[in-house]
Amino acid sequence: MAIQLRPSQALRLWQQTSLAEVRGQRPDLTERQMAILLTIYLDPPPHTVRGLADRLGVTKPVITRALDTMGAMKLVSRHRDERDRRNVLIKRTVEGALFVERFGDVVVAKAQELPL
Amino acid sequence: MAIQLRPSQALRLWQQTSLAEVRGQRPDLTERQMAILLTIYLDPPPHTVRGLADRLGVTKPVITRALDTMGAMKLVSRHRDERDRRNVLIKRTVEGALFVERFGDVVVAKAQELPL
DNA sequence: CATGAATGATACGGAGCCGAAACGGTTCCG
DNA sequence: CGGAACCGTTTCGGCTCCGTATCATTCATG
């Protein structure tokens, strides 16, 4: 059986999670950066700039810049593809995995606190 | 019984919803703006700049600017409090209610598509 | 090889948000 | 009254992101 969520619960979940993230002093990411990060950590590799741009429906520079930013935060890393040196493969990092994991835990916690 | 969500499901839900929002060409809001908007629509009124700033843990100018932006999008409206003219009361709009409602539906839809 | 296609990175001008500080209007209270 | 406290707004300089266009490198193809 699929996850059943009423609209009011969905909105409350999003609000509570967003509030927790805004109030926390973690590195803050834009919605696009978050979508990219989650895609890297949830979708099967390999991940390329082009692939991510298509997945998000945005231009390549958006991905490059997001990777610059998140790379500086050590949330992702870039490696030249040795088989086709035009490609850049984006990989996970320990810090990034921890960040994503912690975020998932926040959502789960807020979901449990939801009123029925 | 509370909503039970596994971390992997929570992350997938967030990813799918974020992707849908990024890909859609709806007016795009920052995480803070989204938190403010949801708070206005979910928490009981009255809402003031000061109150929202405290709730979010941010400074007052952040709220003022967010209200400027979302006001221009007609997602919220401002009215001077006639009882205490120092206050500004933030109210909902028809457009804002539609926006929030639509967003809730997206989350619900993504939740239903979630793998077990 | 030479040429064209594909990849990711970069340059540029513009727009939006940020925090800190200062400002004008309103109310409270001695 | 008159000053202090409170409220929301504005200003300022700085930073980040945006989209478009262009670039260098690498690969595929004839």
Side-chain angles (χ1 to χ4, degrees), chain A residues 4-24:
Chain A
Q4 294 297 335
L5 209 55
R6 288 198 308 279
S8 64
Q9 293 175 315
L11 291 169
R12 184 65 70 178
L13 173 60
W14 211 271
Q15 182 209 18
Q16 291 301 315
T17 304
S18 295
L19 280 178
E21 293 300 304
V22 169
R23 297 191 65 94

Side-chain angles (χ1 to χ4, degrees), chain B:
Chain B
M1 193 190 78
I3 299 290
Q4 294 297 334
L5 209 57
R6 288 199 307 279
S8 64
Q9 293 175 315
L11 291 169
R12 184 65 69 180
L13 173 60
W14 212 270
Q15 182 210 16
Q16 291 299 314
T17 304
S18 296
L19 280 178
E21 293 301 303
V22 169
R23 297 190 64 93
Q25 60 281 27
R26 50 111 206 197
D28 79 20
L29 304 180
T30 66
E31 184 173 27
R32 287 176 169 192
Q33 290 169 343
M34 195 63 183
I36 294 170
L37 188 66
L38 289 176
T39 296
I40 293 170
Y41 280 82
L42 296 178
D43 286 4
H47 299 290
T48 64
V49 172
R50 177 61 157 198
L52 290 171
D54 289 345
R55 185 98 165 91
L56 285 256
V58 298
T59 59
K60 290 184 297 177
V62 168
I63 306 296
T64 294
R65 284 186 297 248
L67 293 179
D68 287 345
T69 301
M70 295 192 292
M73 297 175 181
K74 299 188 184 304
L75 298 178
V76 298
S77 66
R78 278 187 273 205
H79 308 273
R80 186 62 70 177
D81 182 354
E82 290 304 332
R83 302 186 182 207
D84 182 343
R85 296 182 50 77
R86 288 174 301 183
N87 288 331
V88 164
L89 303 178
I90 295 104
K91 300 192 171 172
R92 308 168 186 179
T93 64
V94 173
E95 290 91 339
L98 285 175
F99 178 89
V100 170
E101 184 180 349
R102 193 195 62 79
F103 178 75
D105 290 344
V106 171
V107 179
V108 169
K110 297 304 176 185
Q112 278 175 337
E113 296 170 5
L114 238 40
L116 303 179

Side-chain angles (χ1 to χ4, degrees), chain A residues 78-94:
Chain A
R78 278 189 273 206
H79 307 275
R80 188 60 71 174
D81 181 354
E82 290 304 330
R83 302 183 181 210
D84 181 342
R85 296 184 50 78
R86 287 174 302 183
N87 287 331
V88 163
L89 302 178
I90 295 103
K91 300 192 173 172
R92 308 168 187 178
T93 64
V94 174

